[in-house]
Amino acid sequence: MRKRKYYLYLTAEERRYIFNALLSYRNKLIAQGRYTDIVDEVMIKLQK
């Protein structure tokens, strides 16, 4: 069974808000010494 794809249509302001929240979360993970791979992937997808 194939996974369903979902698409989000965001305005520039919404995209910027989500990106900043992800960046803040990434910085917390770095401070804790944890991996940030998943957050990095989502940030890259958000930029496309």
Side-chain angles (χ1 to χ4, degrees), residues 12-29:
E13 184 179 347
E14 292 169 332
R15 197 175 309 120
R16 188 169 42 250
Y17 182 76
I18 292 170
F19 186 82
N20 287 336
L22 287 170
L23 187 61
S24 175
Y25 183 60
R26 183 178 181 271
N27 289 337
K28 282 184 187 179
L29 291 175

Side-chain angles (χ1 to χ4, degrees), residues 3-44:
K3 291 186 179 182
R4 296 184 80 178
K5 288 188 179 183
Y6 296 95
Y7 296 93
L8 293 176
Y9 298 98
L10 304 170
T11 64
E13 184 179 347
E14 292 169 332
R15 197 175 309 120
R16 188 169 42 250
Y17 182 76
I18 292 170
F19 186 82
N20 287 336
L22 287 170
L23 187 61
S24 175
Y25 183 60
R26 183 178 181 271
N27 289 337
K28 282 184 187 179
L29 291 175
I30 290 172
Q32 295 173 358
R34 297 173 62 189
Y35 293 109
T36 62
D37 298 343
I38 301 298
V39 178
D40 293 337
E41 287 180 27
V42 173
M43 289 172 72
I44 289 169

